[in-house]
């Protein structure tokens, strides 16, 4: 199973990332504090690899965040999506998670 596409919107310091992943490896290069670790945390969160959700997952000044990761193999795609929304005037987030599986494997 391979990551094919990643879409991240307003997650921590990542405002709008929409990328296709080619090849077998991902190499993230950049200056400190530019979002490399947050890119990985977003993928972990969408796939349920981590049970720890960031204290402030939504980009400062925004009301919602979204992460979508598409895995694929042999022409089949599996989409994992997580959405965060502000609850009220408090600075907490409500996790809304939905997993769309276009093809089930038994």
């Amino acid at each position: 199973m391979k990551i094919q596409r990643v879409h991240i919107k307003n997650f921590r310091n990542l405002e709008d990332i929409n990328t296709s992943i080619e090849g077998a490896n991902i190499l993230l290069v950049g200056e400190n504090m530019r979002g490399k670790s947050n890119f990985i945390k977003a993928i972990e969160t969408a796939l349920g690899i981590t049970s720890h959700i960031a204290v402030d997952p939504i980009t400062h000044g925004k009301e919602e965040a979204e992460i979508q990761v598409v895995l694929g193999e042999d022409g089949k795609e599996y989409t994992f999506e997580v959405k965060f929304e502000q609850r009220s005037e408090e600075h907490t987030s409500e996790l809304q998670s939905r997993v769309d599986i276009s093809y089930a494997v038994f």
Side-chain angles (χ1 to χ4, degrees):
M1 196 66 54
K2 176 183 171 310
I3 297 174
Q4 294 184 333
R5 291 185 303 281
V6 177
H7 175 72
I8 304 167
K9 186 169 183 177
N10 300 329
F11 180 76
R12 302 185 77 173
N13 69 335
L14 302 175
E15 290 187 13
D16 195 10
I17 305 287
N18 196 8
T19 187
S20 295
I21 308 295
E22 302 293 330
N25 300 308
I26 300 172
L27 176 63
L28 300 175
V29 178
E31 295 178 19
N32 290 342
M33 307 299 291
R34 296 295 180 195
K36 299 178 301 292
S37 295
N38 288 334
F39 184 82
I40 299 301
K41 286 185 186 301
I43 293 170
E44 291 174 341
T45 300
L47 297 179
I49 295 171
T50 183
S51 61
H52 174 72
I53 303 298
V55 175
D56 292 320
I58 302 173
T59 301
H60 181 72
K62 304 294 182 178
E63 295 187 13
E64 60 186 24
E66 177 180 340
I67 306 165
Q68 186 180 73
V69 177
V70 178
L71 302 180
E73 186 175 61
D74 298 329
K76 300 176 188 97
E77 286 190 350
Y78 304 87
T79 302
F80 296 81
E81 184 177 277
V82 179
K83 291 185 179 183
F84 300 90
E85 293 180 351
Q86 292 289 351
R87 281 192 184 163
S88 62
E89 294 180 9
E90 299 175 12
H91 296 314
T92 58
S93 297
E94 177 180 352
L95 176 64
Q96 295 181 337
S97 180
R98 180 173 57 94
V99 178
D100 293 329
I101 300 176
S102 58
Y103 184 83
V105 177
F106 298 100

